[in-house]
Amino acid sequence: MSIKNSNLALNSANKLFFLRKFIESPFQIGSVTPSSKFLAAKMLEPLDWRSIRSIAELGAGTGVFTKYIDSFKHPDCKAAVFEKDHEMRCKLKTCYPEMMYFEDALALSEQLQAAEIGSLDAVVSGLPFTLFEASVRKRIIDGVINSLKPNGIFVTFQYSLQMKTMLMNNFSQVEISFVPLNIPPAFVYVCRK
């Protein structure tokens, strides 16, 4: 089997795995398919990998962003991955064993302290905020803000503009862009503390 055919087979298997997880937990998994490479590129574009020494990913899923974080990060960078689904988290640990793994993004600050990671330069999120109650959204955003260094960056995507007001009220700068080449199309929020 050629490398191209091998990658296609792996990509198809990831999509089927993701779809199965969505069917099992539609209020935990925010989409029927993983994020596209176009969305991943837009999400990671604002990060200055030369200066990032600590990063967290929230809601890693099948690892679309994790793969790029692993390949772009500086060798000295500490990377924490938060994924609630046990099976997805185990698969990610197998693929990217040098990263640290945690279950609950609601405990972001506490988990980072326990792991002696300290404040973060960046947080990348694939969490489906629109599926969460307002109090859960607030707790996660508060955790992100408390975990970021001054001038730290928070990048997330959503399928609507529902998070716009909350993010603008909590970050000093918020830029929004649109990625049409994703299923469904997505808005990317780049927020600076």
Side-chain angles (χ1 to χ4, degrees):
M1 181 183 283
S2 71
I3 291 175
K4 184 177 180 182
N5 288 340
S6 176
N7 284 341
L8 285 172
L10 182 60
N11 192 23
S12 294
N14 268 345
K15 286 181 179 179
L16 287 173
F17 175 68
F18 198 89
L19 178 60
R20 178 174 61 84
K21 287 297 180 179
F22 174 79
I23 292 167
E24 289 173 5
S25 304
F27 293 105
Q28 185 175 316
I29 309 294
S31 175
V32 296
T33 186
S35 299
S36 70
K37 64 182 179 182
F38 304 104
L39 180 56
K42 194 66 171 174
M43 288 279 292
L44 301 176
E45 177 182 75
L47 304 181
D48 180 3
W49 296 101
R50 296 166 298 174
S51 63
I52 292 175
R53 294 298 179 270
S54 55
I55 187 169
E57 179 183 8
L58 312 180
T62 57
V64 173
F65 304 143
T66 316
K67 174 176 75 171
Y68 291 105
I69 291 169
D70 183 61
S71 64
F72 294 154
K73 72 180 179 63
H74 189 278
D76 295 334
C77 180
K78 293 180 180 178
V81 177
F82 289 76
E83 174 50 53
K84 196 168 190 103
D85 184 90
H86 177 74
E87 190 177 1
M88 287 182 169
R89 198 170 58 253
C90 287
K91 283 181 175 263
L92 291 169
K93 282 183 187 179
T94 301
C95 293
Y96 312 104
E98 68 289 346
M99 295 187 182
M100 291 172 266
Y101 292 87
F102 306 96
E103 180 179 348
D104 195 354
L106 284 170
L108 175 66
S109 299
E110 298 84 355
Q111 296 286 1
L112 294 174
Q113 279 184 336
E116 298 180 355
I117 294 176
S119 296
L120 299 169
D121 295 303
V123 176
V124 174
S125 174
L127 292 174
F129 284 107
T130 55
L131 299 180
F132 302 156
E133 293 181 11
S135 61
V136 173
R137 287 195 296 268
K138 180 172 178 9
R139 282 181 59 198
I140 292 171
I141 296 301
D142 287 348
V144 168
I145 292 166
N146 292 335
S147 300
L148 281 172
K149 292 177 182 175
N151 299 314
I153 187 169
F154 173 58
V155 185
T156 188
F157 76 92
Q158 299 294 295
Y159 301 123
S160 73
L161 292 172
Q162 179 184 358
M163 289 294 291
K164 180 179 178 181
T165 301
M166 177 180 237
L167 294 173
M168 292 186 93
N169 289 340
N170 284 280
F171 290 91
S172 61
Q173 182 183 356
V174 177
E175 297 170 11
I176 304 170
S177 57
F178 184 64
V179 179
L181 297 175
N182 191 69
I183 300 173
F187 294 94
V188 173
Y189 297 83
V190 179
C191 311
R192 298 184 189 276
K193 182 173 174 180

